[in-house]
Amino acid sequence: AQGSVTASPSQYDGEYDCPVTVGTPGVTLPLDFDTGSSDLWVFSSELPASERSGHAYYTSSSSSTSKLDSGETWDISYGDGSGAEGNIYIDKVTIGGITVTSQAVEAAESVSSEFVSDTSNDGLVGFAFDSINTASPNHVQTWFGNAEAQLASPVFTANLKKGKAGNYNFGYIDSSEYTGSITYATINSANGFWEFSASGYAVGSGAFSSQSIDVIADTGTTLIYLPAAIVKAYYAKVSGSSNSASAGGYIFPCSATLPSLTIGIGSYKAVVPGTFLNYAPNTGSTCFGGLQSNAGIGLSILGDVFLKSQFVVFNQGVPKIGFAPG
Ligand SMILES: N#Cc1c(N)n[nH]c1N1CCCC1
């Protein structure tokens, strides 16, 4: 089998949401696809009505194929301070025409305010490794982990775009979605992430600095977070830029012309256009950068600002990750 699903950007490409059908009869919910976490959870009828407002949700009792996963609970906290928790049902989940008949569906009984106010999604699908799934006392498998048996190849690809719909494909690599050749890096999944070593960086037309940068590829994070020294070197080339405590990161005059950012993957030079690095308006005539320091995060993240400039192959079989110009 193989499948494909449309990925729709929220405002400012903050996240990319995809339609996922759960249960029988199916309820279709826009879920945030997140390669930085490993829980599939949904807004549910078990939430207080106040926390469901503005959202569609899953009602297990209305699904003839739903079965309580007795004794199992889940409780997830994300790096941005948001979180959710609840209980678990086994039910049918279809994405892009591929159906997993016994998927652990984590039903929310409580969600943090960030999720209540983010009405562009009604939950998440985690595409990282099972080791960081939060279900307890037993881990549950990700949807992709369960779907792999049906796929010709244990891969999914991300073809995210700036300001317009892209897509995720499952089980195949569509050569019409990229140019040139795909360059792969080995994945170290010990921390549960799509983690690998980038080979260096360059700012605009400047010299490429060869250095190993430990990064994760995370579709659930909006921006790019790199070591402070690299970020400082980038904004040194942006006149009027400053690292603003009040804004929470680097800002610059919206009229600035931003240099591109090149990230090395082996010998491949992945280029993020300067226009992608003017993320969104801040206050007044200042704008907020799509590249920020990883200080306080503990790791570097290639989030959507980077990923939407590339075609990305996530191969869970090896595991390895591949990049080509999108
Ligand atoms: N913070 C954070 C984060 C991350 N690193 N990957 N996915 C995240 N979220 C998914 C929904 C909210 C935050």
Side-chain angles (χ1 to χ4, degrees):
Q2 59 186 41
S4 183
V5 69
T6 299
S8 302
S10 65
Q11 188 182 35
Y12 300 122
D13 298 350
E15 63 190 61
Y16 289 79
D17 301 305
C18 309
V20 176
T21 302
V22 186
T24 311
V27 60
T28 299
L29 304 173
L31 301 186
D32 178 358
F33 280 21
D34 180 10
T35 61
S37 67
S38 301
D39 285 49
L40 190 168
W41 70 264
V42 291
F43 274 68
S44 87
S45 55
E46 297 168 55
L47 281 163
S50 60
E51 291 184 15
R52 289 191 317 247
S53 108
H55 290 269
Y57 53 88
Y58 170 67
T59 305
S60 57
S61 56
S62 304
S63 171
S64 61
T65 45
S66 167
K67 216 172 77 55
L68 178 69
D69 193 359
S70 182
E72 285 279 297
T73 59
W74 61 282
D75 184 344
I76 195 162
S77 299
Y78 297 100
D80 63 1
S82 64
E85 59 174 18
N87 56 5
I88 302 179
Y89 296 86
I90 307 298
D91 209 339
K92 270 175 53 179
V93 176
T94 299
I95 301 176
I98 296 175
T99 295
V100 170
T101 50
S102 297
Q103 174 63 41
V105 177
E106 301 179 9
E109 292 176 291
S110 169
V111 298
S112 66
S113 58
E114 296 85 352
F115 286 109
V116 177
S117 50
D118 180 359
T119 52
S120 53
N121 77 61
D122 298 322
L124 260 82
V125 185
F127 283 90
F129 294 84
D130 293 350
S131 60
I132 57 172
N133 171 265
T134 75
S136 175
N138 311 298
H139 281 327
V140 295
Q141 280 201 231
T142 63
W143 179 85
F144 184 71
N146 285 320
E148 264 187 59
Q150 300 180 51
L151 304 178
S153 174
V155 303
F156 64 92
T157 64
N159 183 32
L160 303 178
K161 298 295 178 188
K162 182 176 189 293
K164 63 180 184 181
N167 58 285
Y168 287 92
N169 297 338
F170 304 102
Y172 71 107
I173 294 172
D174 182 343
S175 58
S176 74
E177 296 188 2
Y178 65 92
T179 60
S181 61
I182 299 170
T183 301
Y184 286 93
T186 301
I187 287 292
N188 169 7
S189 61
N191 296 319
F193 299 118
W194 290 92
E195 186 170 0
F196 63 100
S197 293
S199 54
Y201 78 97
V203 177
S205 56
F208 183 81
S209 170
S210 293
Q211 56 185 268
S212 181
I213 311 168
D214 181 34
V215 297
I216 69 169
D218 183 0
T219 59
T221 288
T222 305
L223 307 182
I224 300 170
Y225 297 90
L226 291 175
I230 294 177
V231 177
K232 190 162 182 276
Y234 177 85
Y235 286 106
K237 301 294 184 192
V238 181
S239 48
S241 67
S242 66
N243 192 357
S244 159
S246 57
Y250 281 88
I251 56 174
F252 43 81
C254 294
S255 56
T257 302
L258 293 172
S260 62
L261 173 71
T262 297
I263 298 292
I265 288 111
S267 56
Y268 170 53
K269 302 285 190 284
V271 178
V272 184
T275 49
F276 285 31
L277 291 158
N278 179 340
Y279 173 64
N282 179 52
T283 53
S285 62
T286 64
C287 280
F288 195 78
L291 170 65
Q292 296 295 339
S293 170
N294 72 0
I297 298 181
L299 77 168
S300 292
I301 303 178
L302 297 180
D304 296 325
V305 166
F306 174 81
L307 298 170
K308 66 189 173 187
S309 71
Q310 303 295 312
F311 174 80
V312 191
V313 180
F314 294 82
N315 182 317
Q316 196 160 273
V318 181
K320 64 181 182 179
I321 190 165
F323 296 91

